[in-house]
Amino acid sequence: MARILEKTMDVGIQEWMLTFDDLNLEEDFANFFYPCLEWLESEGLIRVRSYHRTMGGRAQGSVQNVHITAFGQSVLRQEVNITGENEMLSETVKNVSKEPGYYSKFGDFLGSLLGGFTKSIGS
């Protein structure tokens, strides 16, 4: 998820295609490519124009125009403390992309952060 978010932050709003190979991950992560995209989209963090799945493997194909939503931008601007130091979630995403083992519970953390953030907005 962090690599998808990082790539999306870097590209911004423009025409583009994202493939699993663009994330520079080991093949072990291929099974998570589409499920992570779909989860991020269903949580409202990103918007995906279209999915172009092809045969030949679980992560074959591409997605077109992955963009961070306004909600996603507000979540990424939240200050978090995973490693003992406060930093913006967008910086955490970049750090997770560089050192995935260091933030081994990032997925659980992101899910709980979204739950709390959504609850606070609804109040």
Side-chain angles (χ1 to χ4, degrees), residues 88-100:
M88 285 184 31
L89 184 57
S90 58
E91 287 302 312
T92 302
V93 166
K94 291 177 185 177
N95 292 335
V96 168
S97 293
K98 292 175 190 157
E99 301 177 52

Side-chain angles (χ1 to χ4, degrees), residues 39-110:
W39 186 85
L40 289 166
E41 185 177 25
S42 69
E43 291 296 323
L45 291 171
I46 62 171
R47 182 174 293 115
V48 178
R49 177 180 287 166
S50 58
Y51 291 82
H52 305 280
R53 296 179 188 208
T54 59
M55 296 182 67
R58 298 198 55 98
Q60 295 299 309
S62 62
V63 290
Q64 182 178 2
N65 295 342
V66 181
H67 300 121
I68 295 179
T69 63
F71 174 70
Q73 290 175 4
S74 64
V75 168
L76 291 169
R77 285 192 296 266
Q78 297 299 306
E79 197 167 270
V80 296
N81 185 330
I82 296 178
T83 63
E85 292 187 30
N86 290 343
E87 64 184 355
M88 285 184 31
L89 184 57
S90 58
E91 287 302 312
T92 302
V93 166
K94 291 177 185 177
N95 292 335
V96 168
S97 293
K98 292 175 190 157
E99 301 177 52
Y102 192 62
Y103 296 91
S104 61
K105 298 194 180 209
F106 176 73
D108 294 338
F109 172 77
L110 184 58

